[in-house]
Amino acid sequence: MSQAEFYQRDRERHPPALTPDYKTSVARSPRNALISLQQSVSEITGPVFGHNDIDPIDNDLIHNYAKAGASAIGERIIVHGRVLDENGRPVAGTLVEAWQANAGGRYRHKKDTYLAPIDPNFGGCGRTITDENGYYFFRTVKPGAYPWRNWVNNWRPAHIHMSIFGTSFSQRLITQCYFEGDPLIAKCPIVKTIPTQDGIDSLVAALDLNATIPLDSIAYKFDIVLRGRRSTLFENRLEGN
Amino acid sequence: MAQKLDYLKETPSQTAGPYVHIGLAPGAAGFDIYRSELGWDIAGPNAAGERIRVEGVVIDGTGNPVKDVLIEAWQANASGVYAHPESGGEVEDGFRGWGRVITDFETGEWGFDTVKPGPVKARRKLGTGPLHEPANAGGDWLGRADEAHENMAPHINLWIVARGINIGLNTRVYFDDEAEANAKDPVLNLIEWQNRRPTLIAKRGERDGKVVYRFDIRLQGENETVFFDI
């Protein structure tokens, strides 16, 4: 065993629990301090997924809910990138799940009553497993902005929700991917739960013309960083770092 | 100025939002899309041990149930082994040890069927050996195979996300019929305020001949559940 616990999470980079401009957080944030744990086997392990768990079409949101021969309506995009740890090493074989509204900002969810219409050929979720280089991609349509009941005139920027497992339960992460140049990013109380501009910037996918498919799809690059891991101090040398 | 450290920084968390079901439980959102959704069977039919159900409700700071929560569970099997290569040991075919559940949109109730986990090895205790040596030959950094190390009491690790929760909350479910083990558990004993420890202990009951542990989670206020920074 050459690896030990994961680096402490930087709680000054993540949003705090209580962020009153995002109103729902007020009654859903603990008032007591978190109890810090040195990690045990309960924290350094986590679920393992394989290609048997998913289907190859699962990462193609343009087609994974479309009728035969049809495709989702909207700006066709590829969202791709790498899942890395804080040491810059690829996180291979990890499950990445994504969900989003359609091009008009409407979610396929029985609780979403926004008046923009459902796209009959768009479900809005996908999943994939990173390759040996930590690389992943989704094919989808760019989601639209949508209004939400926070202040009376709040609009979420276009975003894709992302869920990433990593290799341990302590790396488990859900975040949101935004798109370069969207003027709503700077206005959003959910974005602004993040305390630093650098942190916010790290959630904005960059237009990646090099990865577009000419005459087919535009591409955005979105890299994801999970917690890094200490090498053991019980051996004579630090391995790897 | 010192040299610049070249570590990358962890991607910041964001709330899972109210429509988390679309991505992680699309059937609950109202549509079927995948061959199979992940996380609905934690232990599988081959797992040894006592079959149990764990259930409860998540309550917010106003005293109302939260009806759009998603909870993930991570646990060892009845022998105390996690379905992960670093746990050291085999698990039964089909035992995943991981599951996800959502709260009922009307009542806020959640629950999952599993097997009761066995005790797992705790970290090596501080001061039990030289800092820079392995716990003992053949042991690893967690101190497995070191007889001097205590077990943790049986527990299930939970991760809770929802609208209004900016970063997932970690907690643990312990069992009230494991009083002796709970009294020695190094994590429970880390909680300075003894009156907060019972917020992590599920209450055993029975329904229709089935063992059911009740575990209500209070996000805020009176009897607030203990949450961990893991």
Side-chain angles (χ1 to χ4, degrees):
Chain A
M1 210 61 53
S2 64
Q3 292 191 303
E5 55 266 85
F6 290 80
Y7 300 144
Q8 167 181 292
R9 195 160 241 166
D10 182 355
R11 296 269 170 184
E12 294 178 328
R13 180 166 177 85
H14 290 283
L18 175 60
T19 49
D21 283 347
Y22 174 28
K23 293 182 182 181
T24 315
S25 76
V26 174
R28 294 185 175 192
S29 46
R31 286 296 173 273
N32 285 289
L34 302 178
I35 306 289
S36 291
L37 289 191
Q38 288 183 286
Q39 292 174 358
S40 70
V41 69
S42 293
E43 287 79 34
I44 59 119
T45 59
V48 178
F49 300 95
H51 289 280
N52 289 338
D53 289 318
I54 65 173
D55 288 321
I57 187 83
D58 286 355
N59 70 340
D60 183 352
L61 284 70
I62 290 181
H63 297 110
N64 69 5
Y65 197 71
K67 294 169 195 70
S71 57
I73 289 175
E75 183 181 341
R76 296 162 64 92
I77 62 170
I78 290 162
V79 176
H80 75 133
R82 293 177 76 200
V83 181
L84 304 166
D85 72 12
E86 289 173 303
N87 297 317
R89 297 193 189 108
V91 182
T94 198
L95 181 67
V96 180
E97 296 166 291
W99 69 101
Q100 63 169 93
N102 69 21
R106 175 72 184 268
Y107 283 98
R108 184 177 288 277
H109 191 291
K110 51 188 168 192
K111 295 283 179 187
D112 187 2
T113 55
Y114 180 37
L115 51 74
I118 289 282
D119 175 349
N121 292 305
F122 186 73
C125 60
R127 54 191 187 180
T128 188
I129 291 178
T130 57
D131 73 8
E132 66 275 18
N133 299 312
Y135 181 77
Y136 77 93
F137 74 92
F138 291 100
R139 161 167 284 198
T140 185
V141 294
K142 193 171 174 184
Y146 81 89
W148 57 301
R149 292 183 183 278
N150 189 60
W151 300 329
V152 79
N153 190 25
N154 272 140
W155 294 77
R156 293 304 322 282
H159 64 280
I160 300 176
H161 298 264
M162 296 262 193
S163 161
I164 311 99
F165 279 82
T167 59
S168 82
F169 211 52
S170 66
Q171 283 180 313
R172 191 78 181 84
L173 182 73
I174 281 182
T175 189
Q176 299 183 27
C177 162
Y178 304 99
F179 295 91
E180 180 176 0
D182 186 342
L184 286 170
I185 293 171
K187 306 283 184 195
C188 177
I190 289 178
V191 172
K192 290 199 282 189
T193 61
I194 298 169
T196 66
Q197 187 59 45
D198 178 65
I200 291 171
D201 293 345
S202 74
L203 294 188
V204 181
L207 174 67
D208 184 2
L209 279 178
N210 289 348
T212 63
I213 305 174
L215 308 179
D216 182 323
S217 300
I218 287 176
Y220 285 89
K221 189 157 192 289
F222 187 68
D223 288 336
I224 296 160
V225 180
L226 303 181
R227 293 166 74 177
R229 195 168 186 184
R230 232 179 267 287
S231 296
T232 182
L233 294 174
F234 299 146
E235 292 179 356
N236 290 334
R237 60 192 172 84
L238 293 171
E239 281 189 17
N241 285 353
Chain B
M1 288 282 277
Q3 294 181 6
K4 212 169 174 179
L5 290 172
D6 60 358
Y7 296 106
L8 302 178
K9 298 294 281 178
E10 190 186 10
T11 297
S13 174
Q14 290 267 264
T15 179
Y19 306 128
V20 60
H21 317 90
I22 293 174
L24 307 188
F31 66 110
D32 287 318
I33 182 166
Y34 295 137
R35 168 167 48 91
S36 66
E37 291 188 13
L38 297 169
W40 301 120
D41 190 5
I42 299 176
N46 302 319
E50 183 182 22
R51 294 278 156 177
I52 63 169
R53 181 171 177 79
V54 180
E55 62 183 26
V57 65
V58 180
I59 300 161
D60 73 13
T62 71
N64 287 293
V66 182
K67 298 172 182 174
D68 50 13
V69 176
L70 182 135
I71 298 175
E72 289 187 353
W74 175 240
Q75 67 164 86
N77 71 3
S79 307
V81 179
Y82 284 95
H84 187 277
E86 290 187 57
S87 187
E90 295 289 317
V91 297
E92 300 88 341
D93 190 35
F95 178 88
R96 182 148 243 171
W98 169 80
R100 61 170 47 139
V101 295
I102 56 166
T103 47
D104 184 276
F105 290 142
E106 307 301 325
T107 64
E109 291 279 341
W110 57 269
F112 54 85
D113 297 303
T114 185
V115 296
K116 193 173 173 189
V120 297
K121 283 283 184 198
R123 283 179 63 91
R124 76 193 248 114
K125 281 170 87 174
L126 287 177
T128 55
L131 265 184
H132 296 285
E133 282 178 17
N136 67 14
D140 60 26
W141 69 274
L142 288 168
R144 287 187 295 258
D146 184 338
E147 299 299 324
H149 291 174
E150 293 169 17
N151 286 329
M152 291 188 280
H155 65 277
I156 299 174
N157 310 285
L158 297 186
W159 185 69
I160 301 155
V161 295
R163 175 170 70 105
I165 295 177
N166 289 325
I167 180 165
L169 294 168
N170 290 97
T171 190
R172 287 183 172 197
V173 180
Y174 288 86
F175 304 94
D176 71 348
D177 54 333
E178 299 283 348
E180 200 180 322
N182 291 343
K184 289 191 290 190
D185 182 79
V187 169
L188 287 172
N189 282 307
L190 197 58
I191 303 167
E192 179 184 346
W193 309 275
Q194 291 201 29
N195 64 345
R196 298 200 67 206
R197 296 177 192 169
T199 67
L200 301 186
I201 297 175
K203 290 187 175 50
R204 185 179 176 111
E206 213 171 283
R207 192 172 58 237
D208 304 330
K210 206 169 162 183
V211 177
V212 177
Y213 287 93
R214 183 78 191 178
F215 189 75
D216 290 333
I217 297 164
R218 289 177 177 77
L219 295 177
Q220 182 190 102
E222 198 178 341
N223 293 320
E224 183 176 298
T225 299
V226 169
F227 298 106
F228 296 108
D229 185 7
I230 65 168

